[in-house]
Amino acid sequence: MTQAVQLKPEVPLLSINNIEVVYDDVIQVLRGVSIDVPRGEIVTLLGPNGAGKSTTLKAISGLLKTENGEVSRGDIHFMGERIDVKNAEDVVRSGLFQVMEGRRIVEDMSVIENLKLGAYTRNDGQVNQDIEMVFNYFPRLKERIGLAGYLSGGEQQMLAIGRALMARPKMICLDEPSMGLSPLLVKEVFGIIEKINREQGITMLLVEQNANYALKAANYGYIMESGKIVLDGSKEMLLNNEDVKEFYLGGGNEKRKSFKNLKSYKRRKRWL
């Protein structure tokens, strides 16, 4: 009788294990956060303002030190290597790039110069070829190759994502890519994010206020409140969850007309 071979579960590309983050040695923002991001998938992190979403991305990309923050407990592994002890440049070199909230493009440099900034860790001689690849995803940028400061908000977001692609990352963390964009541009940007994931195989961790678009693009989602993960599941499970509908998707149980009664809830009660 042949014995069935048991396959080992695939190790996530990114694994955040029970991390706590403290600012100025006293202000605790994250309280035991654990998140797994499988290779090749889009995972979204949802939650209200101040929940700790952006802090989570900064912990991943090595940017906490710029704000006097640190991972005081737990660890973060990317491609099997611990990265919470690395600086931001080494994290980029390991294959993980963050598109920060507010785009952070260099306004007095041209579109081409901004794109080349994304490739500063490379020396493979294929930068110009990759600029053309970025223009294939964002043809509007090819028409506006002057100073980046003259681009519209949507075009600046496209440039920020294009700059991330120039690093040839294995994974991109996106912080609020729809912020300040018109509904039409939000739809366009999310369409391109899904296309990049599908065609380039780049893994994505997406922090986003627009939960409808984020969940539709993602394979899996986490909901964060007050520095903790309170719910996680597949996109189908979250899209059909009544509490998620009510608090994040603008739907759900029509009988509940007010949030006043929630003041007496323990923080996690409604997610149990």
Side-chain angles (χ1 to χ4, degrees):
M1 183 176 179
T2 356
Q3 189 174 2
V5 179
Q6 289 189 342
L7 299 175
K8 292 182 180 178
E10 186 177 353
V11 176
L13 185 68
L14 176 75
S15 184
I16 303 172
N17 305 301
N18 199 33
I19 65 166
E20 295 181 356
V21 167
V22 174
Y23 285 99
D24 300 316
D25 296 322
V26 291
I27 304 168
Q28 187 174 3
V29 178
L30 300 186
R31 307 167 185 274
V33 170
S34 294
I35 292 172
D36 285 340
V37 182
R39 188 182 301 271
E41 294 194 0
I42 299 177
V43 172
T44 188
L45 179 59
L46 306 175
N49 288 331
K53 305 184 302 296
S54 293
T55 294
T56 302
L57 294 193
K58 289 172 185 174
I60 295 167
S61 53
L63 293 170
L64 285 176
K65 289 181 181 178
T66 63
E67 299 177 355
N68 203 24
E70 65 171 343
V71 176
S72 57
R73 181 182 174 185
D75 53 71
I76 304 172
H77 285 79
F78 177 67
M79 296 181 64
E81 185 178 1
R82 187 169 178 181
I83 60 169
D84 55 287
V85 293
K86 291 186 174 187
N87 61 38
E89 181 177 343
D90 288 337
V91 170
V92 172
R93 289 183 185 278
S94 72
L96 193 153
F97 199 105
Q98 179 174 342
V99 178
M100 299 183 70
E101 180 184 341
R103 294 124 199 179
R104 310 291 179 95
I105 56 138
V106 185
E107 294 188 357
D108 57 357
M109 292 176 67
S110 70
V111 166
I112 299 288
E113 288 168 335
N114 269 275
L115 290 176
K116 287 182 176 179
L117 275 180
Y120 81 97
T121 59
R122 294 171 48 191
N123 55 3
D124 54 18
Q126 295 183 320
V127 171
N128 290 334
Q129 175 184 322
D130 284 358
I131 288 174
E132 286 304 315
M133 178 263 293
V134 170
F135 286 157
N136 284 334
Y137 284 111
F138 304 105
R140 200 175 309 182
L141 293 180
K142 193 169 186 176
E143 303 166 4
R144 294 163 172 76
I145 54 173
L147 291 182
Y150 291 109
L151 298 176
S152 69
E155 290 161 353
Q156 289 184 7
Q157 187 60 267
M158 293 173 185
L159 178 57
I161 297 171
R163 184 175 58 187
L165 286 177
M166 291 297 298
R168 287 199 173 177
K170 301 287 190 303
M171 178 173 172
I172 298 176
C173 295
L174 293 147
D175 196 356
E176 303 288 1
S178 77
M179 181 178 285
L181 303 186
S182 69
L184 191 60
L185 273 175
V186 171
K187 184 177 181 180
E188 183 178 352
V189 166
F190 269 92
I192 294 169
I193 288 170
E194 292 182 70
K195 188 177 181 183
I196 290 169
N197 168 255
R198 185 172 61 251
E199 295 181 353
Q200 301 292 327
I202 297 174
T203 306
M204 309 261 190
L205 178 58
L206 173 64
V207 163
E208 179 55 56
Q209 287 288 342
N210 192 323
N212 277 293
Y213 273 104
L215 281 175
K216 286 173 184 174
N219 306 99
Y220 200 88
Y222 292 82
I223 293 178
M224 174 180 279
E225 291 189 359
S226 303
K228 286 190 174 185
I229 301 297
V230 295
L231 184 69
D232 67 283
S234 67
K235 104 170 138 181
E236 292 80 12
M237 179 273 224
L238 294 177
L239 284 169
N240 290 310
N241 181 288
E242 288 300 320
D243 289 319
V244 173
K245 287 180 184 178
E246 180 174 353
F247 288 94
Y248 294 99
L249 303 177
N253 188 349
E254 294 181 0
K255 292 181 180 178
R256 187 181 292 166
K257 301 295 184 184
S258 169
F259 295 133
K260 289 180 182 177
N261 294 334
L262 292 176
K263 292 180 181 178
S264 61
Y265 277 34
K266 289 184 178 179
R267 184 183 53 77
R268 292 176 63 99
K269 186 172 181 180
R270 65 179 177 273
W271 304 113
L272 297 177

